[in-house]
């Protein structure tokens, strides 16, 4: 009996929630109105214990890899789908709970005010959701429109839910039309069935139409910095004909090696929110406050023009990437030295740390000792000669050589100079405090379709990357089928802070083979061969590739 009620509540809950999601999505695409499934997901994830999130992320990455998908490109989409499913589940759960309550209330008079019950149910579900959603909106989001919009959507949800529940209940719950005659029961059953079918059909129609229209109207999410360029001159630079500093190097990458310079649109992306903050570059100001003699309030133009600009080819990598990860990319970064900006602010002697906060709620603490000992640390505003893309931290992000991405905030909104240490966003969730990158090497290709004849020998180009952050790479070695380690050729890197492309010409033998690679950093320190997991300090181990020839 109870099971039946639970099932009914779940069904109607889901049927009321699906079209609501679709209409919300439409509102988001047309008028940038709040989309509660994303807001709820972004609200709940930082409140879950760190291991739960990282476990979820790991399983998702595993799943995507199992499906043969490019993790860097699909992780966000998968997360967004997950957010929608979670919200649908929430609506289903609300349906179950309200359904059970309604059954309790369905004593003779309890139902006479069906619409009132609907409004109450809608408010009970909608009020917390509205508060969460409004709390997550960026400054400037239109609350004047958002509040009535969400109110209408949730009251509508409650009315639809209660009306459908009443109509589908076995007992004639609403007594305003008393049953007459003997065959009324079968008529009711027929009505219920018809009603269920038409409810399902309308829910499906609204869902499909809303989602489809929404997808059609999808606002161009990448339009941010391009839409209001702060430095038009830089946009005219032709980046397709960029001449790389090592273009005359004799070591040619083995065919199938990843591009040495990652096209910006292919650069891996990691961020905590489902949708990155879209900051207005013209209105944005960076406050530098705390233990300084002269607090600063800098515009993007100030940072571009008041301090010398430095270009640096940089490889960035995510600590959550396993051995052979795709969460690593290389581009040219441009910015001002953090040392130069702090010199103008005048850091007081008792200051020890920079506390950096971001537009998406991310935060990280950087030690002043580190900053004062490394002039290369930059506040960056350009990538590949153009303003940072929205996804990559427009208008400003920091670069700290030799550290994983998790220590390097994007979308910086404030810098406070302090004497107090506070744990950064991911440190608080159990990841390494220092997050120094691990020395790593990867086999990208065993290019059997590019065999070269070298005298009597047939040689197969094998190649990939090696990386040790700013520690550089001195040696890469390859071994086949557990034999001797053989040195590979190294291509000059784009800079001392990028990966190195290596190549090894292996003399062809048919059969099944195991290829392995290892490397040493510039100091001669061997990469750690022992296998360890990504958490908490980044993966170690030897990358392998099996090939059937
Ligand atoms: N504000 C903010 N900064 C952030 C993050 C974030 O979620 N929010 N993610 C960090 C992590 S974990 C990584 S790996 C890098 C990724 O930078 P990218 O997306 O530009 O490649 O940004 C770092 N900076
Ligand atoms: Mo990361």
């Amino acid at each position: 009996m109870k099971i039946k009620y639970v099932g009914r509540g779940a069904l109607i809950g889901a049927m009321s929630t699906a079209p609501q999601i679709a209409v919300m999505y439409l509102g988001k695409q047309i008028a940038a109105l709040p989309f509660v499934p994303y807001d709820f997901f972004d609200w709940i994830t930082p409140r879950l214990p760190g291991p739960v999130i990282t476990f979820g992320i790991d399983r998702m990455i595993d799943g995507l890899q199992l499906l043969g998908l490019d993790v860097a490109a699909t992780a966000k989409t998968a997360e967004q789908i997950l957010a929608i499913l979670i919200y649908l589940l929430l609506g289903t759960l609300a349906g179950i709970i309200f359904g059970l309550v309604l059954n309790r209330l369905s004593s003779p008079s309890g139902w006479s005010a069906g619409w009132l019950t609907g409004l109450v149910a809608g408010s009970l579900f909608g009020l917390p959701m509205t508060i969460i959603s409004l709390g997550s909106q960026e400054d400037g989001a239109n609350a004047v429109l958002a509040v009535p919009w969400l109110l209408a959507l949730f009251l509508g949800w409650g009315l639809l839910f209660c009306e459908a529940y009443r109509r589908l209940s076995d007992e004639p719950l609403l007594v305003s039309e008393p049953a007459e005659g003997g065959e009324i029961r079968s008529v009711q059953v027929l009505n219920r069935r018809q009603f269920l079918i038409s409810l399902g059909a309308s829910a499906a129609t609204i869902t499909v139409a809303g989602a489809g229209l929404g997808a059609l109207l999808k606002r161009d999410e990448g339009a941010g910095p391009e839409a209001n360029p702060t430095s038009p001159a830089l946009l005219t630079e032709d980046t397709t004909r960029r001449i790389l500093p090592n273009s005359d190097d004799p070591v040619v990458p083995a065919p199938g090696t990843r591009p040495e310079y990652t096209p910006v649109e292919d650069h891996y992306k990691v961020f905590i929110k489902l949708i990155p903050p879209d900051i207005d570059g013209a209105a944005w100001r960076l406050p530098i406050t705390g233990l300084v003699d002269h607090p600063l309030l800098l515009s993007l133009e100030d940072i571009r023009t008041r301090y010398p600009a430095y270009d640096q080819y940089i490889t960035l990598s995510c600590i959550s990437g396993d051995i052979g990860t795709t969460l690593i990319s290389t581009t040219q970064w441009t910015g001002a030295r953090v040392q130069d900006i702090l010199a103008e602010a005048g850091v007081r002697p008792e200051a020890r740390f920079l506390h950096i906060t971001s537009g998406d709620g991310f935060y990280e603490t950087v030690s002043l000792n580190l900053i004062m000992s490394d002039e290369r640390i930059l506040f960056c505003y350009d990538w590949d000669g153009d303003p940072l893309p929205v996804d990559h931290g427009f208008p400003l992000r920091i670069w700290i050589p030799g550290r994983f991405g998790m220590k390097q905030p994007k979308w910086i909104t404030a810098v406070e100079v302090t004497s107090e240490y506070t744990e950064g966003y991911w440190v608080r969730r159990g990841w390494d405090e220092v997050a120094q990158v691990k020395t790593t090497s990867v086999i990208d290709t065993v290019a059997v379709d590019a065999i070269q004849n070298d005298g009597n020998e047939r040689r197969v180009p094998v190649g990939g990357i090696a990386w040790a952050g700013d520690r550089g790479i001195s040696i890469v070695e390859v071994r086949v089928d557990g034999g001797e380690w053989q040195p590979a050729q190294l291509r000059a890197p784009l800079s001392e802070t990028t990966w190195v492309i290596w190549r090894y010409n292996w003399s062809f033998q048919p059969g099944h083979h195991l290829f392995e690679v290892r490397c040493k950093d510039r100091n001669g320190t061997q990469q750690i061969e022992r296998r360890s997991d990504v958490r908490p300090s980044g993966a170690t181990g030897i990358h392998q590739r099996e090939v059937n020839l």
Side-chain angles (χ1 to χ4, degrees), residues 271-308:
F271 38 83
I272 54 171
K273 288 283 169 84
L274 281 163
I275 306 287
D278 195 349
I279 295 174
D280 175 358
W284 176 89
R285 294 289 179 276
L286 179 68
I288 299 185
T289 57
L291 301 174
V292 290
D293 294 329
H294 318 286
L296 302 176
L297 190 63
L298 301 171
S299 70
L300 193 50
E301 207 50 39
D302 293 335
I303 298 174
R304 284 182 178 281
T305 53
R306 291 229 302 251
Y307 312 95

Side-chain angles (χ1 to χ4, degrees), residues 267-273 277 316-320 327 329 333 357-363 383 391-393 397 404-412 425-426:
H267 196 290
Y268 87 88
K269 295 174 189 177
V270 173
F271 38 83
I272 54 171
K273 288 283 169 84
L316 184 72
S317 172
C318 180
I319 196 166
S320 313
L327 298 178
S329 306
W333 301 41
T357 43
S358 296
D360 60 346
F362 189 83
Y363 47 87
W383 261 20
D391 287 353
H392 295 291
R397 67 184 300 171
F404 281 114
M406 60 164 274
K407 300 298 289 185
Q408 314 192 32
K410 309 190 269 188
W411 306 292
I412 295 176
Y425 185 93
W426 284 118

Side-chain angles (χ1 to χ4, degrees), residues 6 73 94 117 130 169 182 224 239 256 290 319 440 469 495:
V6 168
T117 320
T130 303
S169 292
T239 52
I319 196 166
T440 188
S495 82

